[in-house]
Amino acid sequence: MPDSRIRLATPQVACRTAFVGMTLLASLCPQARAQSEAEILSNLRGRATASFVATDGKEKRYVGQHCEDVKPDSTYWNDVLADYHGLRVQDCRPEKSYTSSVGRTKVSVNARALVLLPSAEMVAATVFQACRRSVPDTRLQECADTTLTHILESNGAQFVVSGLITEPKSEGYGAEERWDPICRKTKDEDVLFSFRDGVTVRLVGRDRTSWRASLKDGCKALAQPTEIELEEYLRANVASVKNYGRITDMHRDAYASCTNASDLKAPNGDGAWRALVKANFIQAWKTGEDKILNEWVRAKFLPTESCSLK
C-alpha cells in the first residue's frame, strides 16, 4: 500500500513548512491537493459501483432489470427518443414483488420503461465536478459524500426517459392520503408511476401519476397493465408534469429561484421544466457537467436567501 503521508521534502518553501493546516497545505502544494482530490473521486467511484453493480458484474439497480439496448432501427428514435440519439438508451422490463398489507397475498408488479443508466464513473465525475465548482477545499469531501448519497437515495441515478416504473405508493400521496388510516397502512406497497424525460408525469386520460385508486376507494393498487398497454404508455401524451427532475432530484421551484427562471414554475412552466431536465441530462451524459446538480450543490452548501433547499 502506498505511503499516504504528505512528504514535505520539496524545494517549495510552503511545502517545507512542517506544521500547517491541511487546507493551507493543499492550496499551496498542488501535488497534495491533487492527491486528495484523486482519493475523493476514487471513493465516489467505489460507492457508486457498489450501488450499481452486483458481485457477479450484472446491473444492480431496479430499473436496469431485464434490459436490452434500443435497436438502431427502432421507431422509438423517431418520436419519444428523437432527442436521445447517440446515447445508450435501454428498453427495460423490471419486476417487483411484495406481500400485501391487507390479506398477506403475494403481489407482482411488472413495469416497462426506456431508460438511461449512467455508469459509476460518469456519476462520480459529475458529482465531483459539481462540488469542485462551488465549495472550498475544506468542504469538498463533505459535499461529494452528501451529494452522492442524495442521488443514490433519491433515485439511484436511474433516468427514466419514458414509461412506467414502480415506487412506493406514498410517493404520490397528498396530505389527506398520508393521514387516512387505510391509505397509510399500504403506503409502502409498490405501484406503477409514469415518467417522461426524467420527471414524474400524469398521462392524458389518467387521474394521477400512479396506478392506485382514490382516497375514497382506499388507495388500493389498480390492475396490472397488459404488455400491450405498457408499450402504449411509452408514447402516451403527457397531461401534466411534476416537480422533481432526475437525477439531481431538485424541486423546480428551488432551481427557478437559484437561476431566476420564473418561467419554470407550475403549472404554466410544465413544458419548460420537462425540456430543461431532458436537455440537462443529455448534456451531463455527454460532457459530465450537470447544471441542475451544480445549483443543488450551491443551494445545499452555500445557501442564500434566494437560493436554498428549504
Side-chain angles (χ1 to χ4, degrees):
M1 180 178 293
D3 188 349
S4 62
R5 292 171 297 180
I6 297 176
R7 300 186 184 280
L8 301 176
T10 166
Q12 295 173 310
V13 175
C15 293
R16 287 201 305 267
T17 305
F19 300 101
V20 299
M22 285 301 297
T23 302
L24 177 60
L25 180 62
S27 65
L28 296 178
C29 305
Q31 268 190 322
R33 187 173 77 175
Q35 183 181 29
S36 175
E37 291 184 352
E39 290 171 353
I40 293 171
L41 185 56
S42 177
N43 179 59
L44 289 173
R45 289 196 199 101
R47 289 184 58 204
T49 298
S51 294
F52 299 170
V53 184
T55 54
D56 60 1
K58 294 181 180 179
E59 174 61 56
K60 191 175 180 180
R61 286 168 284 188
Y62 152 71
V63 175
Q65 296 179 41
H66 311 299
C67 298
E68 60 180 22
D69 290 352
V70 177
K71 294 179 173 56
D73 61 351
S74 171
T75 57
Y76 293 134
W77 297 112
N78 300 329
D79 42 58
V80 71
L81 296 181
D83 294 325
Y84 293 89
H85 282 280
L87 280 61
R88 189 193 172 193
V89 183
Q90 299 181 65
D91 188 347
C92 302
R93 294 169 169 80
E95 303 171 355
K96 269 195 178 180
S97 298
Y98 64 90
T99 301
S100 64
S101 301
V102 179
R104 308 302 297 172
T105 58
K106 185 177 180 180
V107 179
S108 294
V109 186
N110 301 321
R112 172 87 182 275
L114 305 176
V115 304
L116 285 166
L117 297 171
S119 67
E121 291 74 15
M122 294 169 69
V123 173
T126 300
V127 168
F128 181 83
Q129 181 169 307
C131 289
R132 164 53 53 223
R133 179 187 183 94
S134 296
V135 304
D137 291 345
T138 52
R139 302 193 72 186
L140 185 56
Q141 180 74 64
E142 175 195 3
C143 175
D145 288 342
T146 300
T147 303
L148 180 61
T149 297
H150 170 71
I151 291 173
L152 296 180
E153 292 182 350
S154 298
N155 54 67
Q158 302 168 106
F159 188 89
V160 184
V161 177
S162 184
L164 310 184
I165 64 168
T166 65
E167 290 190 335
K169 194 186 294 184
S170 59
E171 289 294 318
Y173 278 8
E176 289 184 327
E177 287 92 345
R178 283 194 291 270
W179 286 104
D180 181 81
I182 297 177
C183 292
R184 193 165 65 239
K185 188 173 184 179
T186 63
K187 65 182 178 63
D188 296 323
E189 295 180 353
D190 288 305
V191 295
L192 295 168
F193 280 77
S194 47
F195 282 79
R196 191 66 56 84
D197 298 316
V199 187
T200 308
V201 298
R202 181 176 63 84
L203 300 176
V204 171
R206 305 293 310 180
D207 292 331
R208 54 187 55 82
T209 60
S210 64
W211 263 244
R212 67 162 176 86
S214 64
L215 173 66
K216 68 182 181 65
D217 291 320
C219 299
K220 63 182 179 182
L222 301 180
Q224 165 70 43
T226 66
E227 286 293 322
I228 293 176
E229 289 171 333
L230 286 173
E231 183 166 5
E232 290 174 344
Y233 288 133
L234 295 175
R235 287 184 162 112
N237 291 326
V238 172
S240 62
V241 175
K242 296 305 177 181
N243 294 317
Y244 288 90
R246 294 191 175 203
I247 62 173
T248 300
D249 203 50
M250 186 177 194
H251 195 286
R252 69 161 98 178
D253 288 352
Y255 182 84
S257 295
C258 290
T259 60
N260 296 316
S262 58
D263 61 321
L264 298 177
K265 296 189 176 183
N268 295 332
D270 277 8
W273 175 237
R274 176 182 156 196
L276 187 147
V277 173
K278 173 174 65 173
N280 177 75
F281 191 73
I282 291 173
Q283 177 185 353
W285 184 282
K286 293 178 177 179
T287 69
E289 182 180 11
D290 187 321
K291 292 184 178 180
I292 297 179
L293 187 62
N294 290 345
E295 295 303 326
W296 187 91
V297 166
R298 191 162 69 93
K300 175 71 175 178
F301 293 96
L302 300 168
T304 64
E305 185 175 345
S306 62
C307 182
S308 70
L309 300 178
K310 61 183 178 180

